[in-house]
């Protein structure tokens, strides 16, 4: 019988650690694995702007009937506006559409399932390193997944020369996955002229770009973080953007994301949307609505939107402060390794260069949980636990 021959699957490299963390009895334990924001008390509060929106929505007694397969029209329009910005939105509003998806992961999987139906021979190119879930998502649809160089761990910076030389050779019709901002796991983002070059090659070689855009607003701000994505929207004939509201609205468990497609060819719009809807219908049918109602409500209400932007600045600034504090504490420990690069990285994560043994030792001896690759979630550091973390890192290296 089928069930008798199944071996246990490997634990998820990120969410599996949170399971282990929950079972750890050490009162000093610290979870720096999954990318979830924590405040200085180690809690993940619901944002005040989100709470206010939830109260208003409750008063409106909104029906729980099914949403359309592609989701709520206003939510989608607000999502496209947020990504494109006021300047580009008028240019693309007739050539783009969106589908509200269950989280950014849902948007990636929907893109992948859709593309595999029409281009199963294409290869998917992800950065090395990348979010550990990218490969499984595209492989689950049936794609071959390979990687392009991204990070130089000697200099702790983008290995742009190698990246661009590999991308130049990617065959026409392959799929190039880029991180829109706050690269996960390295925290190292492409600069303006680097975006220009990648955009030019993608256009020239006819690559299909998918931008994973899960951290808008967590790096330098809502507009600055979107600069690369906006450039690509303007330049490329076709682009898919997978956005997420997990981090910038703190709506993790509500699963709110959006797949946005823009094409210079208006004729693509209707057939592509029809097949994406068909793919969504056979997968999750139609999106969950509570989270997207909150996002729609906030983005379309001036006063709530300002409050949300303040909440988001609070998150961004606390993460930046924790980067500086960690570097200071590591210096105080007289750590032999220079960690000053942590201060320049963007978003929630930092790629510390700690090896697997050091990561294991942090878990075993200090109950500090970080991802095997050495990625730490800076948003899990607090003014209270930072000294302990720095001391432990110093000791394991
Ligand atoms: C992360 O990278 O930690 C987050 O994107 C959460 C996840 O689903 O892996």
């Amino acid at each position: 019988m089928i069930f008798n021959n199944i071996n246990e699957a490997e634990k998820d490299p990120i969410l599996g650690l949170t399971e282990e963390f929950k079972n750890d009895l050490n009162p000093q334990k610290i979870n720096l694995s999954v990318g979830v924001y924590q405040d200085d008390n180690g809690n993940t509060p619901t944002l005040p702007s989100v709470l206010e929106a939830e109260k208003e929505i409750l008063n409106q007694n909104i029906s729980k009937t099914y949403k359309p397969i592609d989701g709520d029209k206003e939510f989608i329009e607000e999502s496209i506006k947020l990504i494109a910005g006021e300047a580009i939105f008028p240019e693309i509003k007739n050539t783009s559409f969106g589908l509200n998806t269950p989280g950014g992961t849902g948007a990636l999987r929907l893109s992948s399932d859709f593309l595999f139906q029409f281009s199963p021979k294409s290869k998917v190119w992800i950065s090395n390193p990348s979010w550990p879930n990218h490969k499984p998502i595209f492989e689950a649809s049936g794609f071959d997944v390979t990687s392009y160089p991204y990070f130089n761990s000697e200099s702790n910076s983008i290995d742009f020369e190698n990246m661009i030389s590999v991308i130049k050779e990617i065959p026409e019709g392959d799929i190039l996955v880029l991180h829109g901002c706050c690269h996960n796991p390295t925290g190292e983002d492409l600069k303006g002229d680097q975006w220009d070059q990648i955009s030019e090659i993608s256009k020239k070689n006819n690559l299909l770009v998918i931008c994973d855009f899960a951290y808008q607003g967590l790096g330098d701000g809502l507009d600055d973080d979107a600069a690369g994505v906006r450039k690509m929207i303007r330049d490329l004939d076709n682009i898919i953007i997978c956005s997420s509201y997990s981090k910038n609205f703190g709506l993790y468990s509500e699963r709110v994301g959006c797949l946005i497609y823009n094409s210079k060819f208006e004729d693509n719009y209707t057939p592509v949307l029809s097949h994406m809807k068909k793919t969504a219908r056979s997968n999750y049918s139609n999106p969950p609505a509570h989270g997207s109602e909150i996002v729609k409500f906030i983005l379309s209400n001036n006063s709530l939107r300002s409050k949300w932007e303040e909440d988001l600045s609070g998150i961004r600034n606390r993460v930046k402060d924790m980067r500086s504090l960690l570097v200071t504490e590591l210096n105080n420990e007289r750590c032999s390794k220079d960690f000053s690069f942590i201060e320049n990285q963007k978003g929630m994560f930092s790629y510390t260069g700690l090896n697997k043994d050091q990561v294991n030792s942090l878990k075993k001896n200090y109950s500090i949980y970080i991802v095997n690759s050495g990625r730490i979630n800076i948003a899990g550091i607090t003014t209270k636990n930072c000294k302990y973390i720095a001391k432990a890192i110093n000791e394991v290296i």
Side-chain angles (χ1 to χ4, degrees):
M1 176 56 172
I2 190 164
F3 299 108
N4 299 342
N5 298 315
I6 299 177
N7 295 323
E8 190 179 343
E10 272 176 34
K11 281 214 160 60
D12 182 82
I14 297 178
L15 299 184
L17 278 171
T18 299
E19 286 169 27
E20 276 188 65
F21 173 81
K22 287 204 173 119
N23 296 328
D24 189 329
L25 299 175
N26 183 347
Q28 273 193 303
K29 66 182 176 177
I30 301 168
N31 189 0
L32 303 182
S33 58
V34 65
V36 169
Y37 177 77
Q38 295 173 29
D39 64 15
D40 204 43
N41 294 316
N43 299 321
T44 303
T46 302
L47 300 186
S49 52
V50 167
L51 279 178
E52 206 177 316
E54 275 185 315
K55 282 187 194 135
E56 294 284 339
I57 289 169
L58 197 64
N59 285 338
Q60 290 185 1
N61 197 5
I62 292 172
S63 167
K64 299 278 183 205
T65 184
Y66 292 125
K67 290 287 182 191
I69 298 174
D70 50 345
D72 182 284
K73 290 271 162 295
E74 261 183 272
F75 165 84
I76 294 163
E77 185 166 317
E78 291 298 340
S79 296
I80 299 177
K81 263 192 206 155
L82 186 66
I83 284 165
E86 297 293 333
I88 302 183
F89 180 70
E91 283 172 34
I92 66 162
K93 72 173 200 264
N94 296 325
T95 55
S96 56
F97 65 73
L99 287 97
N100 178 193
T101 53
T105 306
L108 285 163
R109 180 62 194 266
L110 178 57
S111 314
S112 174
D113 284 351
F114 162 80
L115 290 169
F116 190 74
Q117 293 168 54
F118 296 98
S119 193
K121 297 251 156 43
S122 296
K123 271 206 170 124
V124 176
W125 296 76
I126 60 174
S127 62
N128 179 18
S130 199
W131 180 45
N133 210 18
H134 274 150
K135 193 165 186 272
I137 287 172
F138 289 101
E139 282 181 347
S141 305
F143 279 117
D144 268 353
V145 178
T146 183
S147 66
Y148 56 85
Y150 188 77
F151 189 69
N152 179 334
S153 37
E154 299 290 305
S155 59
N156 290 300
S157 57
I158 296 185
D159 186 3
F160 192 68
E161 244 173 68
N162 281 322
M163 174 183 183
I164 199 82
S165 64
V166 170
I167 291 180
K168 273 185 186 150
E169 301 304 319
I170 297 181
E172 168 163 354
D174 274 8
I175 297 160
L176 175 64
V177 180
L178 298 169
H179 297 229
C181 68
C182 306
H183 182 267
N184 180 3
T186 68
E188 285 293 335
D189 283 350
L190 293 167
K191 312 276 177 304
D193 59 317
Q194 298 173 332
W195 278 110
D196 291 344
Q197 291 182 54
I198 293 184
S199 183
E200 203 186 311
I201 294 169
S202 305
K203 188 173 166 66
K204 193 164 141 243
N205 295 1
N206 225 346
L207 307 180
L208 175 65
V209 170
I210 298 182
C211 256
D212 184 352
F213 199 35
Y215 294 87
Q216 187 181 7
L218 276 97
D220 291 323
L222 288 167
D223 289 322
D224 286 345
D225 291 351
V229 175
R230 288 176 188 171
K231 153 137 219 65
M232 292 230 151
I233 293 177
R234 275 212 153 115
D235 289 355
L236 300 182
D237 289 341
N238 292 284
I239 184 168
I240 291 176
I241 298 148
C242 298
S243 78
S244 164
Y245 295 103
S246 295
K247 328 283 168 166
N248 52 13
F249 277 76
L251 287 169
Y252 308 92
S253 60
E254 299 293 354
R255 311 309 299 137
V256 203
C258 197
L259 181 165
I260 291 162
Y261 168 72
N262 183 57
S263 176
K264 297 270 182 292
F265 310 108
E266 251 182 276
D267 285 354
N268 288 357
Y269 186 108
T270 308
V272 173
L273 177 58
S274 70
H275 280 281
M276 288 203 178
K277 282 166 70 172
K278 199 168 164 219
T279 310
R281 173 69 171 143
S282 62
N283 188 339
Y284 55 84
S285 189
N286 47 71
H290 183 68
S292 52
E293 287 292 349
I294 294 169
V295 171
K296 176 178 84 175
F297 201 81
I298 291 178
L299 290 180
S300 58
N301 174 306
N302 286 342
S303 130
L304 265 178
R305 183 176 167 132
S306 310
K307 287 185 185 163
W308 165 66
E309 288 192 21
E310 271 171 42
D311 292 342
L312 183 57
S313 306
I315 291 178
R316 182 168 62 239
N317 292 334
R318 199 190 90 73
V319 174
K320 283 190 178 161
D321 289 349
M322 289 306 106
R323 287 188 181 278
S324 306
L325 186 63
L326 181 60
V327 173
T328 307
E329 293 293 1
L330 284 160
N331 287 338
N332 290 344
E333 290 296 323
R334 303 198 185 290
C335 191
S336 54
K337 182 174 162 153
D338 177 14
F339 279 105
S340 53
F341 61 87
I342 291 180
E343 275 199 86
N344 306 324
Q345 296 169 331
K346 308 265 184 234
M348 273 188 174
F349 304 117
S350 181
Y351 208 51
T352 58
L354 293 173
N355 62 35
K356 271 197 186 131
D357 290 341
Q358 293 164 336
V359 170
N360 277 336
S361 172
L362 281 177
K363 182 164 81 177
K364 193 161 151 260
N365 301 319
Y366 302 89
S367 293
I368 297 176
Y369 290 72
I370 74 175
V371 179
N372 246 341
S373 60
R375 182 194 88 171
I376 58 176
N377 173 24
I378 299 284
I381 301 176
T382 67
T383 50
K384 291 140 203 145
N385 68 20
C386 191
K387 211 176 191 41
Y388 176 74
I389 294 167
K391 199 165 179 311
I393 291 179
N394 186 38
E395 280 168 14
V396 300
I397 62 174

